[in-house]
């Protein structure tokens, strides 16, 4: 079954609601540019007004079942399963579990959106994204029995599906249509001086000028970036519990180190060295005790400019040390990754671990991801 037919039959008239996940697909939609990734076929879809709605990809199995993944313009996503032999009660719901290989299990709710199709809203939790990208076998466990699917080529396909969404939002932004908070706003006029051009925390900047990510977009992007960096042992914090003001998404490692990401757009005229100096100056101004800072290195990897630095505030029993990596993409965006240690470092090598926590984000896969932004 082709992607267009899946989207027409399943996406016509269903609404998914699960823990901040909402796909509003009230009309079948119009297909745009088809793409292929391994065994998967994908397409982007528009609503009746011509506004980009979602990207969907599918693959079919010998059992007669078609599996599909859908990512909306807001980077919410879900899993779709169709089989013409199924006799489901439309509108019914069932608690299920999704198992990936033998290592991961996620509780979910499957909703019958037709007599032969179900939709499963998926969490944007980093562990689920990583499991589906790196897994080999997916099993849907329900009271009706288990259904198993091979996940051949899923890692690249999910990445290509996210790229599809980004490209559609880029196209929408360049045409001046839509009001998407990620890429659909007009660029800011050239700033009057360098001070105005520095990256600002999202709560201080005009969101329409600087903020690159919404909350859900930041979670998905960070999950993809962590996967590209080869990092699997982490927990992304709920956006409502974000403890790091000015960062779009925050995660923790088992070591206790905190990671954080902030993204800024319309930064084409910003000098990255001046941006790095501004970061150190801001941290210094907020430190009420002994302050130290320094540059760890500057480089250009591929088409991405990179600056690395650190700051440390030695405030009695409440010290803080932060190691930053700033990336400037060919598209004029700046991404700031920070790794933070709060409190005195325990015995062992955590201080050294903190200093090198961002090394994994300098590999080829991460840089390739940023070169596309």
């Amino acid at each position: 079954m082709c992607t267009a037919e899946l989207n027409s039959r399943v996406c016509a008239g269903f609404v998914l609601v699960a823990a901040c996940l909402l796909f509003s697909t009230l009309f079948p939609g119009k297909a745009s540019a088809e793409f292929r990734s391994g065994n998967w076929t994908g397409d982007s879809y528009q609503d009746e007004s011509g506004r980009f709605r979602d990207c969907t990809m599918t693959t079919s199995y010998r059992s007669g079942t078609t599996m599909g993944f859908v990512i909306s313009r807001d980077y919410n996503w879900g899993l779709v399963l169709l089989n013409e032999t199924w006799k489901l009660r439309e509108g019914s719901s069932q608690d299920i579990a999704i198992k990936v290989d033998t290592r991961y299990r996620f509780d979910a709710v499957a909703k019958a959106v037709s007599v032969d199709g179900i939709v499963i809203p998926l969490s944007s939790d980093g562990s689920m994204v990583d499991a589906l990208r790196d897994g080999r076998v997916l099993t849907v466990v329900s009271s009706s029995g288990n259904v198993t699917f091979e996940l051949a080529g899923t890692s690249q396909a999910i990445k290509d599906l996210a790229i599809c969404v980004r490209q559609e939002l880029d196209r929408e932004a360049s045409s001046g249509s839509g009001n998407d908070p990620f890429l659909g706003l007009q660029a800011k006029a050239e700033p009057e001086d360098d001070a105005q051009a520095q990256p600002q925390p999202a709560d201080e900047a005009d969101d329409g000028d600087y903020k690159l990510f919404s909350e859900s977009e930041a979670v998905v992007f960070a999950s993809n970036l962590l996967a590209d960096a080869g990092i699997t042992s982490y927990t992304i914090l709920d956006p409502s519990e974000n403890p790091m003001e000015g960062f779009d998404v925050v995660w923790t490692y088992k070591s206790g180190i905190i990671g954080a990401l902030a993204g800024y757009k319309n930064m084409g005229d910003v000098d990255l060295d001046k941006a790095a100096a501004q970061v150190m100056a801001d941290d210094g101004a907020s430190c009420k005790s002994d302050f130290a800072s320094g540059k760890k290195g500057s480089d250009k990897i591929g088409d991405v400019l990179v600056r690395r630095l650190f700051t440390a505030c030695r405030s009695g029993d409440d010290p803080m040390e932060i190691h930053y990596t700033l990336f400037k993409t060919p598209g004029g965006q700046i991404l700031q990754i920070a790794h933070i240690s709060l409190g005195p470092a325990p015995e062992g090598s955590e201080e050294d671990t903190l200093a090198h926590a961002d090394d994994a984000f300098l590999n080829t896969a991460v840089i390739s991801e940023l070169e596309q932004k």
Side-chain angles (χ1 to χ4, degrees):
M1 182 182 301
C2 69
T3 303
E5 184 178 352
L6 172 91
N7 209 287
S8 295
R9 294 177 57 195
V10 177
C11 294
F14 75 82
V15 176
L16 309 180
V17 181
C20 299
L21 177 66
L22 177 61
F23 289 159
S24 296
T25 50
L26 302 179
F27 303 99
K30 177 183 178 183
S32 181
E34 184 176 5
F35 66 92
R36 295 191 64 86
S37 181
N39 297 327
W40 296 84
T41 299
D43 227 327
S44 60
Y45 290 84
Q46 302 167 346
D47 60 23
E48 280 194 340
S49 68
R51 185 172 183 258
F52 167 63
R53 188 188 67 199
D54 57 56
C55 285
T56 303
M57 68 181 193
T58 63
T59 190
S60 297
Y61 297 86
R62 292 180 181 178
S63 64
T65 300
T66 295
M67 176 190 290
F69 286 98
V70 182
I71 300 182
S72 76
R73 64 178 292 117
D74 298 320
Y75 285 91
N76 295 316
W77 69 318
L79 171 65
V80 178
L81 297 174
L82 285 176
N83 191 307
E84 294 180 352
T85 66
W86 291 348
K87 305 297 180 184
L88 306 173
R89 183 166 58 85
E90 189 170 349
S92 62
S93 298
Q94 183 178 174
D95 291 333
I96 64 165
I98 295 177
K99 295 177 63 177
V100 182
D101 300 334
T102 58
R103 294 174 297 167
Y104 302 98
R105 178 187 173 102
F106 307 96
D107 294 326
V109 177
K111 181 174 181 179
V113 294
S114 65
V115 296
D116 57 358
I118 63 173
V119 177
I120 305 169
L122 298 177
S123 167
S124 295
D125 176 76
S127 59
M128 173 171 278
V129 175
D130 289 342
L132 288 171
R133 285 182 55 173
D134 300 332
R136 305 172 71 88
V137 177
L138 181 148
T139 303
V140 178
V141 181
S142 71
S143 58
S144 305
N146 298 349
V147 187
T148 300
F149 307 93
E150 292 186 6
L151 292 174
T154 306
S155 178
Q156 184 60 46
I158 290 178
K159 184 180 294 186
D160 289 343
L161 188 64
I163 291 172
C164 169
V165 176
R166 184 188 308 153
Q167 289 175 337
E168 289 299 324
L169 293 173
D170 282 338
R171 186 178 294 112
E172 187 176 271
S174 64
S175 66
S177 62
N179 58 355
D180 183 74
F182 182 22
L183 290 169
L185 297 170
Q186 296 297 320
K188 181 181 182 292
E190 185 175 351
E192 296 178 12
D193 54 51
D194 287 339
Q196 290 176 299
Q198 305 305 326
Q200 303 177 40
D203 58 334
E204 295 179 5
D206 183 330
D207 287 354
D209 291 336
Y210 293 111
K211 190 173 182 180
L212 179 58
F213 300 118
S214 68
E215 287 182 352
S216 59
E217 291 161 357
V219 170
V220 172
F221 183 83
S223 298
N224 287 337
L225 215 61
L226 285 157
D228 288 337
I231 298 170
T232 57
S233 298
Y234 65 91
T235 300
I236 290 184
L237 301 185
D238 189 294
S240 65
E241 300 174 357
N242 185 342
M244 304 303 298
E245 185 177 355
F247 286 94
D248 300 318
V249 59
V250 177
W251 61 91
T252 60
Y253 301 102
K254 289 183 178 179
S255 65
I257 292 174
I258 299 171
L261 170 73
Y264 308 94
K265 62 181 180 179
N266 302 329
M267 293 285 136
D269 295 329
V270 174
D271 182 280
L272 201 58
D273 288 310
K274 291 183 178 180
Q278 186 67 44
V279 169
M280 290 188 286
D282 289 344
D283 283 4
S286 64
C287 179
K288 305 306 180 184
S289 186
D290 295 333
F291 179 74
S293 66
K295 297 180 179 179
K296 296 168 57 179
S298 302
D299 206 347
K300 182 176 183 181
I301 306 177
D303 292 327
V304 178
L305 295 176
V306 181
R307 299 292 184 267
R308 303 175 74 186
L309 58 136
F310 76 92
T311 65
C313 183
R314 311 298 183 187
S315 180
D317 295 331
D318 191 28
M320 175 185 292
E321 184 171 339
I322 309 176
H323 289 255
Y324 295 96
T325 299
L326 304 183
F327 301 92
K328 185 174 181 181
T329 73
Q333 299 167 355
I334 290 181
L335 291 109
Q336 180 185 64
I337 292 178
H339 286 93
I340 305 153
S341 176
L342 302 175
E347 293 184 6
S349 60
E350 181 163 334
E351 287 185 333
D352 182 63
T353 300
L354 176 65
H356 294 280
D358 53 358
D359 289 357
F361 293 89
L362 303 177
N363 70 28
T364 301
V366 172
I367 297 301
S368 296
E369 179 85 13
L370 296 180
E371 284 178 328
Q372 298 177 49
K373 295 195 69 62

